Amino acid sequence: MERVEKRDKKNKEEKIQENNIKCYALTETNNTLPVPILEKSNAKRLIDKHTKDGYVILSACRGFEDFNLDSSDDNDICKHNTINNKRTKELIADIQQRNFSYTPAYGGFIENNGDSNSEEVYEQSVIVYPYKKDNTYNFDELYEFALEMCKKYNQDSVLIKQPNDLPKYVKQDGIVDFVFNGEPTFNDVSKTYFTDLHKNTSGKIKSSGKPTRFSFTESYVSQIPQSYSESHTRYLNGEIFITKK
């Protein structure tokens, strides 16, 4: 049983690594590590520090219909991934230009959950913090930047966690669309956010005409650097790495 579990874990890590390197690479790197799961041990910094100071979660991804693509066509699926990858890199370039610190993140899902053709997929997003690379703090500027990016990348809304306030979805025009009930953990927030994002971007329809069944698995963050030069380059670009330390 233990051998089977180790094999399954290895297969899953290889699947994550394949998707991250070939399809969802958010930084120019030759890093070969699998993306780590965002869990309590390595999300402590987010929960303890950034939940207090605030953050926003941004995405540039759009669905198949937005690009006039067919979600049942393999070539169009590849085109869809390519377009969203390019948009995500443009979003990160916008974040870097404004000097905000950030962490690339992914939401993991199982498409066609329960079927023989089930497949694990990953939705891209970026966690952005109100700290500039010179450690100056300005949440008001981050708030306005989030709405600016929401409009630029034609998102329905952006998730904003203000200091001493509940997380909420805010529309392009600044109107609050939804407020979380109670004080959720970061993992609760990421699950709700990525599930909503996946509904808007997957666009896969089964032959029955009903939306493809899917289940949220985990949230992931970008790999930790494998070398000093990689660490230095990504740090200078404003990226915050999340580790178990």
Side-chain angles (χ1 to χ4, degrees):
M1 180 63 70
E2 183 178 353
R3 184 176 298 176
V4 172
E5 290 178 351
K6 288 183 177 180
R7 183 196 64 197
D8 290 344
K9 180 179 180 182
K10 181 179 179 181
N11 289 340
K12 183 172 184 178
E13 288 179 346
E14 289 176 349
K15 178 68 175 178
I16 294 171
Q17 178 178 327
E18 176 185 352
N19 275 272
N20 184 57
I21 299 299
K22 294 184 178 180
C23 296
Y24 297 105
L26 300 182
T27 54
E28 298 298 332
T29 172
N30 293 320
N31 196 314
T32 58
L33 291 174
V35 291
I37 295 173
L38 184 63
E39 52 192 358
K40 185 175 181 180
S41 59
N42 61 11
K44 182 175 177 59
R45 180 172 184 174
L46 287 173
I47 295 170
D48 291 350
K49 176 178 175 56
H50 296 296
T51 296
K52 176 183 176 183
D53 295 340
Y55 58 84
V56 302
I57 306 181
L58 305 176
S59 176
C61 297
R62 295 295 301 177
F64 286 83
E65 66 281 358
D66 297 298
F67 309 129
N68 295 317
L69 298 175
D70 182 356
S71 61
S72 62
D73 182 276
D74 288 341
N75 289 330
D76 277 2
I77 291 174
C78 183
K79 290 179 183 177
H80 179 253
N81 288 339
T82 300
I83 293 172
N84 276 335
N85 289 341
K86 181 180 179 181
R87 287 167 63 89
T88 300
K89 290 183 178 182
E90 289 176 356
L91 170 61
I92 289 181
D94 288 332
I95 296 169
Q96 292 173 342
Q97 186 176 27
R98 296 288 282 272
N99 292 321
F100 286 114
S101 298
Y102 66 94
T103 299
Y106 314 78
F109 299 87
I110 300 177
E111 288 275 13
N112 295 313
N113 189 34
D115 292 351
S116 58
N117 62 335
S118 63
E119 178 184 7
E120 188 156 8
V121 296
Y122 307 91
E123 296 289 355
Q124 305 165 320
S125 197
V126 189
I127 308 165
V128 189
Y129 312 106
Y131 286 95
K132 296 296 189 75
K133 288 186 288 187
D134 60 2
N135 285 326
T136 57
Y137 175 92
N138 191 327
F139 191 89
D140 290 340
E141 183 180 347
L142 177 62
Y143 193 108
E144 293 302 319
F145 174 74
L147 296 183
E148 179 185 333
M149 294 298 100
C150 190
K151 294 177 183 177
K152 178 176 180 178
Y153 294 100
N154 193 26
Q155 300 296 301
D156 297 330
S157 60
V158 60
L159 195 149
I160 297 178
K161 171 64 177 75
Q162 291 176 273
N164 303 313
D165 199 3
L166 295 173
K168 57 191 175 185
Y169 283 104
V170 181
K171 295 181 180 181
Q172 294 181 12
D173 56 9
I175 295 176
V176 176
D177 185 41
F178 170 79
V179 179
F180 283 76
N181 184 22
E183 188 65 46
T185 66
F186 185 85
N187 286 326
D188 293 332
V189 173
S190 66
K191 179 176 180 179
T192 302
Y193 176 84
F194 281 116
T195 300
D196 188 63
L197 176 63
H198 186 68
K199 288 178 181 177
N200 292 329
T201 58
S202 63
K204 294 187 178 181
I205 304 295
K206 298 182 70 175
S207 58
S208 63
K210 297 180 181 180
T212 302
R213 293 195 307 275
F214 68 91
S215 64
F216 180 84
T217 54
E218 297 101 353
S219 291
Y220 305 88
V221 290
S222 58
Q223 316 101 306
I224 61 173
Q226 282 190 291
S227 66
Y228 173 79
S229 59
E230 180 191 350
S231 175
H232 186 63
T233 299
R234 291 168 64 183
Y235 173 77
L236 290 179
N237 283 333
E239 187 175 346
I240 293 178
F241 317 118
I242 298 177
T243 68
K244 290 188 176 182
K245 295 182 180 180

